[in-house]
Amino acid sequence: MNAVRNAIETLYKGICTVQIWMEVEDPVTHVSSFQEVPLLTKQKCRLSFEKQMTTTNTVGPAVIAQTTKLFIAPELDIPAGSKITVTQEGRTLDFARSGEPAIYSNHQEILLEPFKRYA
């Protein structure tokens, strides 16, 4: 690993698990059902939160947008629609991958949205 990647990874304060929704066959009954299946576990990462300073003009109260970004190793393949559970600074949050990752030589950045359900 190179010095730049080591420096970036010293900023990783979180641990994440990536799960996918897939069909799994019970080995005893041979009945298939959809379940959450871990794809990646205990991966070092970092969440970054950015609040958008502009508000939306609405009839009700002002709405402030927030962008959440995951920083993680570049070689990991996290499919769209995955459930990503991140524990950082004592909080555990569930997200879904949104959009294509920006992959660099030393890390990748993935925009996240709050997890509601599998697509």
Side-chain angles (χ1 to χ4, degrees):
M1 213 178 303
N2 65 39
V4 173
R5 182 164 175 176
N6 284 338
I8 290 171
E9 290 186 356
T10 62
L11 300 173
Y12 290 0
K13 303 297 180 201
I15 298 290
C16 74
T17 298
V18 177
Q19 298 180 91
I20 57 174
W21 188 250
M22 67 180 290
E23 193 170 16
V24 177
E25 182 180 312
D26 184 293
V28 176
T29 65
H30 300 287
V31 174
S32 295
S33 64
F34 282 88
Q35 300 175 11
E36 282 187 353
V37 176
L39 181 65
L40 301 168
T41 58
K42 298 181 181 176
Q43 297 295 315
K44 290 183 176 183
C45 64
R46 180 180 181 90
L47 282 179
S48 172
F49 300 96
E50 178 183 326
K51 290 197 189 283
Q52 305 300 323
M53 299 311 286
T54 59
T55 59
T56 308
N57 244 348
T58 60
V59 178
V63 177
I64 298 173
Q66 176 175 278
T67 303
T68 306
K69 194 181 293 185
L70 179 73
F71 292 80
I72 197 162
E75 66 273 5
L76 301 176
D77 183 25
I78 300 175
S82 300
K83 180 179 181 181
I84 303 167
T85 303
V86 181
T87 300
Q88 180 174 294
E89 296 180 9
R91 295 184 63 197
T92 299
L93 303 168
D94 291 328
F95 297 97
R97 185 186 121 189
S98 102
E100 291 299 313
I103 300 174
Y104 302 98
S105 58
N106 298 303
H107 72 286
Q108 65 177 302
E109 300 173 14
I110 303 172
L111 290 177
L112 302 176
E113 59 187 38
F115 182 82
K116 294 179 181 118
R117 62 179 175 82
Y118 286 101

